[in-house]
Every structure is written in C-alpha cells, then in structure tokens.
Amino acid sequence: MAGGEPPATAAEEGRRAALLREITEEGGFAFVASAEKAACGDLRAAEAAREMAWEQLHSGPWSEVGAAWRDAYALACLHVARLRRLGAAAADRRAALRALDMGLIMGGNLLRADLEAAIARIVADPGDGGDAEAVDEETRRWREGLERNRDVADALNILPAKSLSCKKVERRSCISLEEFICDYFLRGSPVIISGSIDHWPARTKWKDIQYLKKIAGDRTVPVEVGKNYVCSEWKQELITFSQFLERMWSAGCPSNLTYLAQHPLFEQIKELHEDIMVPDYCYAGGGELQSLNAWFGPHGTVTPLHHDPHHNILAQVLGRKYIRLYPASVSEDLYPHTETMLSNTSQVDLDSIDLKEFPQVENLDFLDCILEEGDLLYVPPKWWHYMYIVTSPVITKHVVATIPNVTMRCIFW
C-alpha cells in the first residue's frame, strides 16, 4: 500500500465493495468509476470522487442525505489522504489530515475506524516545531491571559442588566452522586459543583498552548463566526485548530468572533479525550451519556438564551463564564422564536433588551452565576440558559490577548 500504509484487510475490502455496489444502485456510476481509479493511485480521480460525494451531501436538507453517500464521502476522503501522503512536504501532511478530518466530520460511520487509523499513522510523525521566537511569544501571551482575571465589579459593566442581583445558583463542593440525585436531579434544580474535576489532566495540560497545538494544531474543526447563531452575519467555517487559536487573539468587532461550539471534539481528536473524564453525575438514575461536546471561545462570546431537551452538565476547564437561567415555567414570557428550527431559542437579546417589544421579560426572576475554572454546572431539561464569556481581554501594543475559555458539556438521559 502506498505511503507505508498496511494493506486493507478482507473485511475492509468487503465493506468498501458493498458500499460501491450500493452507490451504483443509487445511480452513482461516475463516483464508482472515479473511486476505482483512486484505489489504483489516481489522485485526480480521488479528488473528483470526493467532489461528487460532497455535492450529494449538499443536494438537500442534511436529514435527507442518504447514509450511503455519507459513507461514500468518507471513502473518497480516505483515497485523497492516502495519495496526498505520497508527498514529502509538510503541506501534503496537512492536506491529508484535512481530508481525513472532513471524512470524520461529514462522513458516515461505516469507515470511521479506517479514518481514525489513518489519522493515527499521520500524527505519529512529528511535524515542524515552527519558529522558536514566535513559539515563545505565543506561549507568553497564552499564559498571561490565563493568569489575568476580571473582578466581578468589572464584569458587571459588560453583562446584561440586573446580572448577579437576583438569586444565585446554589454552590456545593464535591457532593456524592446520591446527594446530587436526591437534592437536584430529581427536583429539576440547577447546582454548581466545585472541586470534582481538579484531577483532570486538561486542567493543567490545556494551560500550555504548545501542547494543544501539538495534539490538535493541524486538525480541521468547524467554527462559528459572529456574535451568535441568531445574528444575520453569523456563519460557519472549517479551519485548523491552530488557525482557530490564532483568531482568539485577534482584535475585532463581535461579528468576527470565532467560536468552536457544540462540536464532538473528543470523538474527533482522541488524544484530547484522554485529558478529560465523564463525571459520575452523568449516570444519575441509570441514565446514559447522549453526547460530549466542547466549546472554545474568546472574551465576549455569547450563547443566546435557549433551552435543551436533555439534562446538561457543563464543565468549565479554563476561564470564567457568566450564566443566567430561567425555569421552564416562564417559557412563554421569554418569547420563543416561532420558526421550528429556532423554537428552543428566545427572541430576547439579553445584551440589549427591547422592553417595548418584549415587556414580560423585565420583571422575571432568574438564577445566575459566574462559573469558575474547575466548576460543574447542572442544567435540568427545559431550563433556559444564556452564557457570556467574561474573561478579560488584555490590550498591549494594540494587540488583544484574550484569556482562553474552554467549556465541556455532557448531555445525558
């Protein structure tokens, strides 16, 4: 096999052959012809097959895309990565990794193990360490950001009106699973649990930006650009994790904020999964973990007021985050969007409330808090929550050095 890869097993060959037969039955004759040429070493054919599968993924609503075409896209990504790896340049390594990450992000599950194995072979080869002086400066700025914090009094100047003036979310320290179930889970009551994730490797390792870049720097991730997902200028992009980290330091208006949000990062990059652990609280009452997502973002990033159908536990790994909570009982007074896609999101912009249009919001009681590093926050189903990253930007020589903010969310039951 080209590029030092082991030959495909009989089982792998069988899966791929069955997939090509299925694509043929769906009329994908051109894709199959290109995929067969790609398997014989034709890079142009591999790129053509990937483009054809990509078009199928975007031919209609995502929910209507057939599983076979998602698997076909993953297969084409495998071919492109293998043939790109024939090049010795670092650019070829990065192109191969990008192809495989795209296969993980957009492809189906049939060839997921093949994609992960191919990634493991590539990341085993050390990449270029980069310019030493630039690395030192980047490390200095990252550490400076982590060591600097904003006083609560300063935070009040940028947070929504009435923040930290109502009832605070109850805070407990290292409570047992039984206490959590009886006092909060069964009662549907939010709680902050402190001191239960201090042993996570992420709590120390992720304070080193060079560690993050070494583990994930060349990996492609989806990011959101803009103040939040209900703004008209909001968009999504696919960039490398290193590019994302660099954007965190960039000055600019809210429309250019870049946020890695609600992404299954730990499924995509296994090495990062080794740095965190699923809290025992996620198995309350015999429940099961539904998803495990990551949020990386700079100061000023907002998650608009919304609710989720599942139980949530937010783990604050780095930085600080302001969170406001409203119970499900006041849902109608929060003016949910009428469109189906946004029906779990409020029309109210808490950063600038239009009381003429949304008068019921003014006198609603809420719970709020500032989630500190090492805290867990339990958010029961249907509780509305708004989030604002309050870690402070440090302006030095017209360069904004933003304190990194990392949150992990476990959805269970």
Side-chain angles (χ1 to χ4, degrees), residues 238-350:
L238 289 159
I239 60 177
T240 66
F241 196 73
S242 285
Q243 290 172 327
F244 165 68
L245 292 175
E246 289 164 8
R247 288 194 191 184
M248 287 183 67
W249 305 109
S250 300
C253 60
S255 62
N256 293 322
L257 284 173
T258 302
Y259 199 19
L260 194 161
Q262 196 164 328
H263 176 55
L265 186 69
F266 307 109
E267 291 182 20
Q268 181 188 353
I269 305 176
K270 302 295 186 182
E271 294 85 352
L272 291 179
H273 198 302
E274 296 174 2
D275 293 339
I276 58 97
M277 298 154 197
V278 176
D280 289 343
Y281 308 115
C282 292
Y283 304 107
E288 295 182 355
L289 186 69
Q290 299 294 321
S291 65
L292 180 63
N293 294 322
W295 278 255
F296 276 71
H299 162 75
T301 304
V302 170
T303 301
L305 189 62
H306 71 287
H307 67 79
D308 300 310
H310 300 288
H311 298 264
N312 283 275
I313 284 187
L314 304 180
Q316 189 67 23
V317 182
L318 298 178
R320 310 167 82 203
K321 180 174 289 183
Y322 171 80
I323 299 178
R324 180 179 293 193
L325 300 157
Y326 293 87
S329 58
V330 300
S331 291
E332 291 305 313
D333 293 330
L334 293 175
Y335 304 90
H337 280 274
T338 55
E339 305 96 308
T340 303
M341 289 290 291
L342 291 174
S343 61
N344 73 325
T345 302
S346 172
Q347 298 179 62
V348 180
D349 181 357
L350 289 184

Side-chain angles (χ1 to χ4, degrees), residues 17 23 107 126 208 253 255 294 348 389 413:
I23 293 297
D208 181 358
C253 60
S255 62
V348 180
I389 294 178
W413 269 93

Side-chain angles (χ1 to χ4, degrees), residues 78-379:
L78 279 165
H79 286 316
V80 169
R82 176 176 61 85
L83 297 172
R84 286 288 183 188
R85 283 285 284 154
L86 290 173
D92 295 313
R93 176 184 182 274
R94 288 194 292 270
L97 268 179
R98 179 177 174 82
L100 294 168
D101 275 322
M102 290 300 296
L104 287 177
I105 294 169
M106 302 294 292
N109 292 323
L110 180 69
L111 301 174
R112 189 172 187 87
D114 303 58
L115 292 164
E116 291 174 345
I119 287 173
R121 287 191 290 270
I122 294 177
V123 299
D125 298 329
D128 182 10
D131 179 69
E133 184 175 342
V135 167
D136 290 343
E137 173 63 12
E138 188 175 44
T139 299
R140 183 193 66 77
R141 291 165 66 194
W142 184 265
R143 289 177 178 170
E144 181 183 82
L146 288 171
E147 291 168 2
R148 189 180 297 267
N149 221 338
R150 180 185 286 273
D151 292 336
V152 171
D154 292 329
L156 289 174
N157 294 324
I158 59 174
L159 294 176
K162 300 184 179 180
S163 292
L164 304 178
S165 65
C166 294
K167 186 177 180 181
K168 304 294 188 300
V169 179
E170 186 176 354
R171 177 179 290 272
R172 299 286 301 275
S173 178
C174 292
I175 59 175
S176 68
L177 178 59
E178 291 73 20
E179 287 178 292
F180 170 70
I181 292 173
C182 293
D183 296 345
Y184 305 99
F185 180 80
L186 293 178
R187 295 180 180 180
S189 179
V191 63
I192 295 171
I193 304 171
S194 60
S196 62
I197 66 169
D198 292 341
H199 61 291
W200 285 10
R203 295 276 289 110
T204 53
K205 286 186 175 181
W206 293 4
K207 292 182 178 181
D208 181 358
I209 191 173
Q210 301 310 324
Y211 170 79
L212 290 173
K213 294 185 76 171
K214 177 182 177 182
I215 295 298
D218 289 335
R219 305 296 299 275
T220 295
V221 293
V223 296
E224 301 178 357
V225 182
K227 181 183 176 182
N228 60 60
Y229 62 80
V230 296
C231 295
S232 58
E233 68 273 15
W234 179 86
K235 61 182 179 180
Q236 293 176 296
E237 295 181 12
L238 289 159
I239 60 177
T240 66
F241 196 73
S242 285
Q243 290 172 327
F244 165 68
L245 292 175
E246 289 164 8
R247 288 194 191 184
M248 287 183 67
W249 305 109
S250 300
C253 60
S255 62
N256 293 322
L257 284 173
T258 302
Y259 199 19
L260 194 161
Q262 196 164 328
H263 176 55
L265 186 69
F266 307 109
E267 291 182 20
Q268 181 188 353
I269 305 176
K270 302 295 186 182
E271 294 85 352
L272 291 179
H273 198 302
E274 296 174 2
D275 293 339
I276 58 97
M277 298 154 197
V278 176
D280 289 343
Y281 308 115
C282 292
Y283 304 107
E288 295 182 355
L289 186 69
Q290 299 294 321
S291 65
L292 180 63
N293 294 322
W295 278 255
F296 276 71
H299 162 75
T301 304
V302 170
T303 301
L305 189 62
H306 71 287
H307 67 79
D308 300 310
H310 300 288
H311 298 264
N312 283 275
I313 284 187
L314 304 180
Q316 189 67 23
V317 182
L318 298 178
R320 310 167 82 203
K321 180 174 289 183
Y322 171 80
I323 299 178
R324 180 179 293 193
L325 300 157
Y326 293 87
S329 58
V330 300
S331 291
E332 291 305 313
D333 293 330
L334 293 175
Y335 304 90
H337 280 274
T338 55
E339 305 96 308
T340 303
M341 289 290 291
L342 291 174
S343 61
N344 73 325
T345 302
S346 172
Q347 298 179 62
V348 180
D349 181 357
L350 289 184
D351 299 308
S352 181
I353 302 176
D354 185 340
L355 292 177
K356 290 184 178 180
E357 187 173 4
F358 309 115
Q360 297 298 112
V361 176
E362 184 174 17
N363 297 316
L364 290 180
D365 290 333
F366 56 81
L367 302 177
D368 66 353
C369 65
I370 290 183
L371 207 61
E372 305 283 353
E373 287 188 7
D375 284 346
L376 296 179
L377 171 65
Y378 169 59
V379 181

